[in-house]
Amino acid sequence: MAQSGASGPQEADTLRIIPADLPVNATLHLWLKAVHADKPGSVSLHSANGKFGEVQAVNAEENSFRIYHVFGGGRIELRYDSAETSVSVAYWFTAADVLETGITVLHTNPVNAPPDLPAGYHFRPPFGWMNDPNGFGRFGGRPHLFYQHYSHGRMWNNMHWGHAVSSDYLRWRHLPVFLFPSEELSARPDKRGGAFSGSAIPLPSGPGIRVFFTEKMSERQPEQEIQMSAVSADLFSAGEASVILPHRPEGEGLTLDFRDPYVFKGPDGRWKMLLGSQSDEGGVILLYETQDPQAAGGWTYLGKLMVETRHSTTAIECPCLLPLDGGATDPATRWALIYGLMNGTDERTGRQNLTMVDVGWFDGREFSREFCRELDFITDNYAFQAFMDGGNPVGIGWLGNWADTGPAIDFPSAMTLPRTLKLEDGQLLTPPIGAAESLRSHIIDRTRLAAGQTVSFVNGAVELLFELREAGLPFDLTFDHPEVALGLVQDETGLWLRYERQGRTAPRYIVEGAQVRRVRIFLDYGSIEVFADDGRIAGTKRIAGFEPVRSARLSAAPDAVPRATVWALRL
């Protein structure tokens, strides 16, 4: 990434120059704002033949998004006076091949630049803030990931949709920002909201996708949150959005929470939509359907799919529903209903913002629960969104928790490892996708960890796999981290994560009574993900900061660990 800076004799003044070598027909995306309320800001474009273009910003309160097309290409410079103009992001791409080549970032301000993490393998945005995954699916033959995004800093603000494309769910190319806050919201920096979470489906009538999202505008009357839809024929730019649900269903006693549309094909062949809200009874998931094969309109309210009364949630967020063990049209097929409990708290452990999975049967109008479990016992796998990739469920979550962040906290976050969902012997398993093994670079250890010796790591990207002679045998896996007391323990109480920061009381991350035999752990800069017994138990924790775990030591009874392997990982 080329950072902007002064050049030559102009080093002492406020002129900033961003150099770029652009191909023919390149498109520039820039975010800029005026520094002073009474004077517009601008960025001028120069080539060897002199100045050939200019983009302006007149709002000193909010970043303005600007597009510029460079038809001739070649060596150019973007110039601006930092005393008058602030530029937070500049990148370019060519529309003809952007899905193959991605964007090229020319400039980011230090306040929204991504962390430099050699060998880090979790998905992170190229700049700015990120939270919920959106529109996760396979389109045009490749996995696409959209996500909640703010381009101008690593703190939550008016929401956009970021976008990336992959071939294996692990190695991603960043694409242009896909959705933007409305012009009305951009003109009112005192309000907050934007393009909130949602989903995407392939267009039934041809190439492209239809996306569904919540438009949020604080203090809007009578609805702060309404449901929108837009179409993209080229898979990287969205057309004009239209309103599909302008208000909440009446007579249900709902709060203003009304968001996160998840659209999917039901067992009756009709498009269904789930939305999260809160009622007098508790958190609710609302069910809609349409007979329109394009899912473009005609949405009708069917009722409350489920009501959640545990954990004192203030709203259900990011619901999704998909078949697990058979075809969607088979009445015997079990479905997984996944949802987040915003501000929900487990009083016994202090864990907050839980994500739940109900497994049962769905007939297109009603869901019958067979059993319920938490998706993640450590709770930093939030807003999990899944879809059917062929016959295989695949999902991904935000590697974060609202208990640890907020609009005023600098929080450069990541997505979890993608996971599959499957039923086995009446239990739901959520292991990482099989392609995760392709991250293995080389073996660090095959004998020392099992023998109780300390195993040192080169960097923060590591996978550990060990088996116990018998399920439930106690162990204490201790990690050396410079800022956090970190470890995984199995004892008479169950399986639990040790996570202690000086001066802070952490929740109790535990699966009470668990007796696991096989443990797989992924470490990365700023995170740990635990999978026990092929994902029968899963736990995800964001580790504050980006200092790497430096080593591990496994304490257990003699001969309790017949085998253990440690790999270095890299993309």
Side-chain angles (χ1 to χ4, degrees):
M1 181 192 308
Q3 296 291 336
S4 67
S7 173
Q10 298 163 330
E11 214 165 59
D13 60 30
T14 57
L15 178 67
R16 297 291 183 265
I17 297 176
I18 305 172
D21 292 301
L22 301 186
V24 174
N25 294 325
T27 300
L28 279 170
H29 281 186
L30 300 97
W31 280 262
L32 60 154
K33 68 177 180 179
V35 172
H36 306 290
D38 58 347
K39 189 174 184 180
S42 66
V43 174
S44 58
L45 284 71
H46 297 257
S47 68
N49 297 322
K51 179 179 175 181
F52 66 91
E54 185 174 65
V55 291
Q56 288 195 334
V58 296
N59 192 339
E61 298 296 327
E62 185 71 16
N63 284 276
S64 300
F65 171 66
R66 295 290 183 266
I67 300 174
Y68 197 92
H69 298 285
V70 181
F71 297 103
R75 178 73 172 183
I76 71 167
E77 292 181 344
L78 284 66
R79 300 179 184 178
Y80 65 100
D81 186 341
S82 62
E84 299 178 354
T85 308
S86 173
V87 178
S88 59
V89 178
Y91 63 76
W92 67 267
F93 62 93
T94 52
D97 62 358
V98 65
L99 293 174
E100 308 295 335
T101 59
I103 63 172
T104 297
V105 179
L106 300 174
H107 164 80
T108 62
N109 274 345
V111 295
N112 66 331
D116 183 16
L117 305 173
Y121 54 91
H122 282 81
F123 177 83
R124 297 181 184 278
F127 40 79
W129 161 275
M130 178 182 72
N131 56 295
D132 304 357
N134 303 149
F136 189 44
R138 183 179 289 274
F139 308 115
R142 286 179 287 205
H144 285 248
L145 173 64
F146 303 87
Y147 53 91
Q148 292 284 269
H149 179 54
Y150 182 67
S151 304
H152 321 298
R154 291 193 298 259
M155 290 184 267
W156 186 96
N157 207 296
N158 287 335
M159 285 289 96
H160 305 57
W161 274 28
H163 187 196
V165 65
S166 177
S167 58
D168 61 0
Y169 296 105
L170 297 170
R171 298 159 180 89
W172 296 91
R173 279 189 301 281
H174 297 297
L175 297 179
V177 172
F178 186 77
L179 286 176
F180 298 82
S182 67
E183 292 184 8
E184 180 183 0
L185 185 66
S186 298
R188 291 290 305 276
D190 57 312
K191 295 184 180 295
R192 285 293 177 263
F196 272 31
S197 293
S199 56
I201 61 171
L203 288 176
S205 57
I209 58 174
R210 177 176 293 278
V211 299
F212 304 85
F213 64 98
T214 299
E215 184 193 69
K216 164 89 173 191
M217 185 177 295
S218 63
E219 302 177 10
R220 177 169 53 192
Q221 297 294 331
E223 301 290 349
Q224 291 188 13
E225 299 178 349
I226 60 176
Q227 311 316 313
M228 309 282 289
S229 181
V231 167
S232 173
D234 57 20
L235 296 180
F236 73 87
S237 63
E240 184 177 356
S242 59
V243 179
I244 56 171
L245 289 176
H247 53 76
R248 294 161 289 163
E250 298 178 354
E252 297 285 23
L254 302 179
T255 64
L256 292 174
D257 302 285
F258 179 54
R259 58 180 170 272
D260 308 339
Y262 179 81
V263 175
F264 64 104
K265 190 66 71 71
D268 53 9
R270 296 178 181 175
W271 290 109
K272 310 290 181 177
M273 179 191 295
L274 304 183
L275 286 155
S277 187
Q278 178 78 1
S279 71
D280 298 336
E281 304 169 85
V284 293
I285 297 176
L286 310 173
L287 177 64
Y288 288 75
E289 74 170 13
T290 181
Q291 298 186 45
D292 179 1
Q294 304 297 320
W299 290 97
T300 59
Y301 177 57
L302 298 182
K304 296 175 181 176
L305 187 68
M306 64 90 67
V307 179
E308 169 60 57
T309 59
R310 298 163 294 174
H311 306 304
S312 301
T313 182
T314 59
I316 284 182
E317 292 191 310
C318 303
C320 74
L321 181 60
L322 69 164
L324 280 176
D325 61 347
T329 59
D330 186 344
T333 295
R334 290 175 176 85
W335 293 62
L337 177 62
I338 307 169
Y339 51 97
L341 304 182
M342 183 180 180
N343 297 323
T345 301
D346 179 18
E347 298 294 342
R348 297 182 67 244
T349 62
R351 296 171 305 130
Q352 296 178 276
N353 299 295
L354 311 178
T355 298
M356 310 301 295
V357 185
D358 292 1
V359 175
W361 296 271
F362 177 60
D363 64 5
R365 299 183 72 93
E366 295 183 353
F367 180 83
S368 301
R369 179 192 295 171
E370 180 182 18
F371 67 87
C372 177
R373 56 159 280 191
E374 291 182 32
L375 180 71
D376 194 290
F377 80 97
I378 310 178
T379 71
D380 283 6
N381 176 7
Y382 193 70
F384 190 82
Q385 187 170 105
F387 77 102
M388 295 301 295
D389 189 2
N392 300 310
V394 180
I396 196 169
W398 176 44
L399 209 163
N401 192 304
W402 289 113
D404 298 326
T405 187
I409 299 175
D410 188 311
F411 188 91
S413 63
M415 293 297 179
T416 67
L417 279 175
R419 303 173 186 191
T420 59
L421 299 92
K422 56 185 179 180
L423 280 176
E424 188 173 290
D425 299 327
Q427 297 189 73
L428 177 66
L429 310 181
T430 60
I433 58 172
E437 292 188 6
S438 71
L439 296 170
R440 294 171 179 172
S441 169
H442 61 275
I443 291 177
I444 297 174
D445 171 66
R446 277 182 171 167
T447 59
R448 288 171 290 149
L449 190 70
Q453 300 175 20
T454 297
V455 178
S456 297
F457 306 146
V458 175
N459 55 39
V462 178
E463 179 188 351
L464 302 90
L465 177 64
F466 65 90
E467 294 185 15
L468 302 171
R469 181 171 39 84
E470 298 177 9
L473 289 179
F475 66 83
D476 188 333
L477 178 63
T478 302
F479 297 107
D480 177 21
H481 188 278
E483 299 178 4
V484 176
L486 184 68
L488 186 69
V489 179
Q490 181 162 262
D491 58 20
E492 68 280 0
T493 66
L495 181 72
W496 54 278
L497 181 81
R498 179 189 298 115
Y499 185 85
E500 300 171 3
R501 293 181 65 193
Q502 187 174 6
R504 294 194 179 187
T505 301
R508 192 171 182 229
Y509 302 114
I510 185 170
V511 184
E512 294 180 328
Q515 293 188 323
V516 306
R517 182 176 183 184
R518 192 169 189 265
V519 180
R520 188 179 185 189
I521 297 172
F522 289 84
L523 295 169
D524 201 354
Y525 298 90
S527 68
I528 179 172
E529 291 178 273
V530 177
F531 301 92
D533 294 342
D534 195 30
R536 177 174 64 89
I537 294 171
T540 306
K541 184 73 186 80
R542 174 184 175 264
I543 302 171
F546 294 106
E547 290 296 325
V549 174
R550 297 177 292 203
S551 66
R553 183 174 183 272
L554 179 60
S555 298
D559 301 322
V561 185
R563 63 185 62 86
T565 309
V566 182
W567 287 270
L569 303 182
R570 69 179 181 190
L571 282 175

